[in-house]
């Protein structure tokens, strides 16, 4: 990828420049990557490094040897563009305006810079005006509809800002930070194509502004759009592609990109968290749990991304671990949406759904566009049988992100509960289109086809087949395929799926009604096909059970012995006295 020392120098410069322009989120991201670069062993001994991860998942993944720092697919990275600062930097007016900006007095900051002509001052003035408009928009939403209400309030500064920034771009007086702001304005006005073009110009001129990459990612809703971006092959592009692939549900590609970056940024918590996200989407929960445990050891006050960790603990029903995590984030920062979602998950696992909803609503008051909270609150309303509220929550989630398959799946479940299978089927189809590798979604759609109102068994079979090919961890699809083929009178196919289901149950050492049902059908089927040896094996296994299946097995064995002996069954009524 390049020299680690050059990366350090570039990131150090970027942190100062981003912080200078009050782009604190991008500055924080750059600082995390700076600390994440592995120290040169010739200069730093383990005792002088901040992170010491002897048993980390990084070491497990790559081994102890350093991986070669080569770009993906042999691509050569372009040299880092040089960013020119104004001659008149940090004058008294700029310092006063920045002080007002830091105190969130945005209009005062803009007023102080009204006559300043430098690019740095021009950006800060425009940015202050934009944030003043955003602040007023949020106030209008709360005044008119409440913190969780839907509103048509808009940022009234967008029109003037678009005019001003467009003129600067045409005149060539705009800098990469101004282009970033111009891209945001165009995005909010719905001019997505031009917004993408402007943001590409921004990141090509100044690649270290992660906020610009994030805005560009929001506009890349398909893989075709992503491929058509005219991006320079700077190493920051790898970070962008890893994140964009994740949003586009290309989780394997995303994982490969982050593993490549991890060779250089070996101690980056951000990259570890992104790897965990990709593995979470691939349902590799054991790996995800290991990574998050390590993240908490190295960064005990971390809150971001921890709500995903709580989802894993919830799925695995780890009461004590989830309780500990909820207590930890509550003490760290209880007024973060992530903290509220973690506590909500904890109460949900305890079955206290009203309390859970209260915390999800609190998360949404802190950030009404927090997607995870809307989806999780919908799940809670489903548990409480409050389907209208669940539908509303899921609809708010898909309004925020139409690509959130969990919300579409939730809508399907809600309409299925209301006995409206045609509506449910529409939403299940949306969810499987967005996440075609999730077996649970195919199973839900198959069950919808099986309902009495639809009774489309052939379509249900196709869905169960897709689920079986998508690593059906709940082991539902094979058994249902066998039952449906049995119902349709296809004995051979039913036997095929019962055998596969039986093999899986044996491999996983599972027992239960499905095992009995499979053995009973296979015993009967083999007897009818005169495969007596196989039928005897299945019947013998059924003798280990204590229910009516034991008597059925005995009856089958007696019948097979008589059939094999060549004598017809004896009728005592025909014997002479």
């Amino acid at each position: 990828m390049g020299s680690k020392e050059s990366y350090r120098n570039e990131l150090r410069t970027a942190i100062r420049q981003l912080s200078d322009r009050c782009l604190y989120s991008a500055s924080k991201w750059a600082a995390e990557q700076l600390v994440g670069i592995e120290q040169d062993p010739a200069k730093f001994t383990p005792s002088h490094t901040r992170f010491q991860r002897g048993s980390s998942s990084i070491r497990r993944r790559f081994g102890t040897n350093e991986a070669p720092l080569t770009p993906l697919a042999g691509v050569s990275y372009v040299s880092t563009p040089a960013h020119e600062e104004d001659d008149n930097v940090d004058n008294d007016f700029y310092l006063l305006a920045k002080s007002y900006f830091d105190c969130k007095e945005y209009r005062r900051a803009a007023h102080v810079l009204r006559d300043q002509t430098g690019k740095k001052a021009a950006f800060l003035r425009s940015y202050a005006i934009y944030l003043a408009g955003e602040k007023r928009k949020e106030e209008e939403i709360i005044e008119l509809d409440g913190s969780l209400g839907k509103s048509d309030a808009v940022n009234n500064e967008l029109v003037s800002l678009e005019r001003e920034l467009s003129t600067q771009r045409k005149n060539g007086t705009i800098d990469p930070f101004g282009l970033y702001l111009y891209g945001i304005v165009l995005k909010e006005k719905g001019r997505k194509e031009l917004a993408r073009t402007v943001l590409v110009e921004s990141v090509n001129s100044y690649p270290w502004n992660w906020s610009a990459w994030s805005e560009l990612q929001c506009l890349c809703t398909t893989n075709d759009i992503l491929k058509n971006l005219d991006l320079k092959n700077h190493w920051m592009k790898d970070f962008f592609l890893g994140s964009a692939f994740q949003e586009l549900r290309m989780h394997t590609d995303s994982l490969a990109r982050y593993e490549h970056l991890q060779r250089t940024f070996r101690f980056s918590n951000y990259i570890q968290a992104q790897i965990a996200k990709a593995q979470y989407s691939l349902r590799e929960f054991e790996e995800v749990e290991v990574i998050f445990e390590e993240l908490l050891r190295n960064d005990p006050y971390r809150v971001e991304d921890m709500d995903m960790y709580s989802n894993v603990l919830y799925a695995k029903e780890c009461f004590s671990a989830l309780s500990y995590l909820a207590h930890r984030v509550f003490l760290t920062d209880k007024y973060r949406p992530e903290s509220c979602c973690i506590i909500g998950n904890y109460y949900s696992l305890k079955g206290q759904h009203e309390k859970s909803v209260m915390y999800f609503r609190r998360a949404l008051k802190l950030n009404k566009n927090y997607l995870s909270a809307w989806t999780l609150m919908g799940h809670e309303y489903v548990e409480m049988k409050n389907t209208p509220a669940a539908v509303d929550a899921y609809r708010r989630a898909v309004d925020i992100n139409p690509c959130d398959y969990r919300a579409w799946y939730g809508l399907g479940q809600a309409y299925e509960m209301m006995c409206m299978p045609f509506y449910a089927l529409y939403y299940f189809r949306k969810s499987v289109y967005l996440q075609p590798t999730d077996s649970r979604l195919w199973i839900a759609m198959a069950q919808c086809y099986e309902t009495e109102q639809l009774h489309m068994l052939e379509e249900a079979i196709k869905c169960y087949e897709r689920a079986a090919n998508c690593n059906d961890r709940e082991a539902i699809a094979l058994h249902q395929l066998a039952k449906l083929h049995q119902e349709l009178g296809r004995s051979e196919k039913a036997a095929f799926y019962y055998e596969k289901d039986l093999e899986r149950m044996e491999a996983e050492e599972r027992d239960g009604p499905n095992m009995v049902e499979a053995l009973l059908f296979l015993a009967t089927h083999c007897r009818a096909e005169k495969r007596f040896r196989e039928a005897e094996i299945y019947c013998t296994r059924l003798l280990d059970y204590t229910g009516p299946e034991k008597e059925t097995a005995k009856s089958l064995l007696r019948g097979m012995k008589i059939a094999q002996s060549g004598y017809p069954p004896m009728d005592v009524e025909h014997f002479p006295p």
Side-chain angles (χ1 to χ4, degrees), residues 15 81 150 154 157 190 208 216 235 248 284 387 417 471 499 516 534:
I15 291 162
K150 292 183 179 179
V154 294
E157 306 294 341
W208 306 286
L216 180 59
W235 53 270
L248 294 172
E284 297 174 1
T387 45
M417 285 174 63
N471 189 18
E499 282 176 7
V516 173
E534 292 176 52

Side-chain angles (χ1 to χ4, degrees), residues 338-350:
E338 296 95 332
S339 302
C340 295
C341 282
I342 292 167
I343 298 168
N345 271 339
Y346 167 69
Y347 281 118
S348 176
L349 192 58
K350 290 185 71 177

Side-chain angles (χ1 to χ4, degrees), residues 12 33-34 67 72 74 76 81 86 91 145 167 269 301 303 344 354 393 420 423 478 513-514 523 534 544 550 554 567:
R12 286 191 189 104
Q33 306 324 309
L34 173 65
L72 289 179
S76 298
D86 297 328
N91 62 26
D145 301 289
T167 304
N269 285 338
Y301 299 103
V303 175
E354 292 82 2
M420 300 169 73
Y423 284 93
L478 290 174
N514 287 3
E534 292 176 52
D544 294 334
K550 184 173 182 177
K554 286 180 180 178
Y567 293 101

